[in-house]
Amino acid sequence: MPDQNQRLLTIVCESMLEPFLQEELPHLGASGYTVTDARGAGRHGRRGGAWTKESNVKVDIVCDAEVAQRVVEHINREYKQHYALVMYSTDAKMHCV
């Protein structure tokens, strides 16, 4: 299979959003994603993760640019105003599937 150029979209958000994202991402066109626990500090303050209600997750999605844009628009529309989150993306080159 030839190399495929994709986007790596990363979402760092409050862990309480994880069940919603698990339901919504496939409907937005994401064929898969990886979720990991995340801790740190930033403009939304320190997120230690010692208490479930204050923990963060990092969601990585490798997808085409159209799906990445659809996910970003959905999250901005549905969650940005009420939840601490950050999203960023970069080019990703798939070498095997």
Side-chain angles (χ1 to χ4, degrees):
M1 172 181 262
D3 292 344
Q4 297 180 1
N5 292 320
Q6 300 280 293
R7 300 293 294 164
L8 169 60
L9 173 62
T10 299
I11 306 159
V12 181
C13 63
E14 297 179 37
S15 61
M16 66 180 55
L17 294 180
E18 183 179 352
F20 300 106
L21 295 176
Q22 287 176 338
E23 178 72 27
E24 296 163 349
L25 290 175
H27 296 290
L28 294 167
S31 60
Y33 54 87
T34 301
V35 179
T36 55
D37 292 326
R39 291 175 295 286
R43 72 170 195 236
H44 296 292
R46 177 170 291 230
R47 306 296 281 190
W51 186 41
T52 304
K53 287 190 173 185
E54 73 169 27
S55 65
N56 281 348
V57 293
K58 182 173 94 167
V59 182
D60 287 322
I61 306 162
V62 177
C63 57
D64 62 38
E66 182 180 314
V67 170
Q69 186 62 36
R70 193 176 311 132
V71 171
V72 167
E73 289 172 359
H74 173 78
I75 290 174
N76 279 334
R77 183 177 57 251
E78 297 296 323
Y79 302 116
K80 182 180 173 184
Q81 185 175 352
H82 301 290
Y83 297 94
L85 63 90
V86 64
M87 293 181 283
Y88 51 91
S89 65
T90 188
D91 291 331
K93 189 172 186 179
M94 298 289 291
H95 296 285
C96 64
V97 178

